[in-house]
Amino acid sequence: MTSTAPSAAAPMRVAAALWVAGTAFVIISAVVLDDGVGRNVAIALVVLAANLAILGAARRLTRDREPGGRIGALLGVASALLALLYLGLGIYRVLGEGYAVFG
């Protein structure tokens, strides 16, 4: 019997892609602006690693306890929204103020 519930993996994939995009933006903007490159790279990679680890744990939890369930989908959507906020604030900092995100 197949489940008709939406896959929890889809929002998690979107969230992971957004975190990678946010990290790339932080790193590229720091290099282009030549503003705190080392600090920006280090912080961006730590943020990326932490959020990908959280998404991985949520995916394992969902797969083991509630395949295709709402918990994983909710965590994926929440993570994607946080990633959009991270990217949006980064864009504001670079374009609005002219400084690197963590500069």
Side-chain angles (χ1 to χ4, degrees):
M1 176 177 267
T2 59
S3 174
T4 58
S7 172
M12 289 184 197
R13 282 190 213 109
V14 170
L18 286 170
W19 283 114
V20 169
T23 300
F25 178 79
V26 169
I27 292 170
I28 291 169
S29 65
V31 170
V32 168
L33 294 172
D34 194 26
D35 183 21
V37 176
R39 177 178 50 245
N40 277 274
V41 170
I43 293 172
L45 291 177
V46 167
V47 168
L48 175 66
N51 283 289
L52 292 181
I54 290 168
L55 284 172
R59 188 169 184 185
R60 282 189 300 279
L61 173 71
T62 301
R63 183 179 59 232
D64 293 344
R65 297 211 176 120
E66 190 186 10
R70 288 174 267 158
I71 293 171
L74 181 62
L75 287 171
V77 169
S79 182
L81 290 174
L82 282 174
L84 281 173
L85 180 65
Y86 177 69
L87 184 58
L89 290 174
I91 290 170
Y92 170 77
R93 173 91 169 143
V94 170
L95 297 179
E97 298 177 359
Y99 298 106
V101 178
F102 299 112

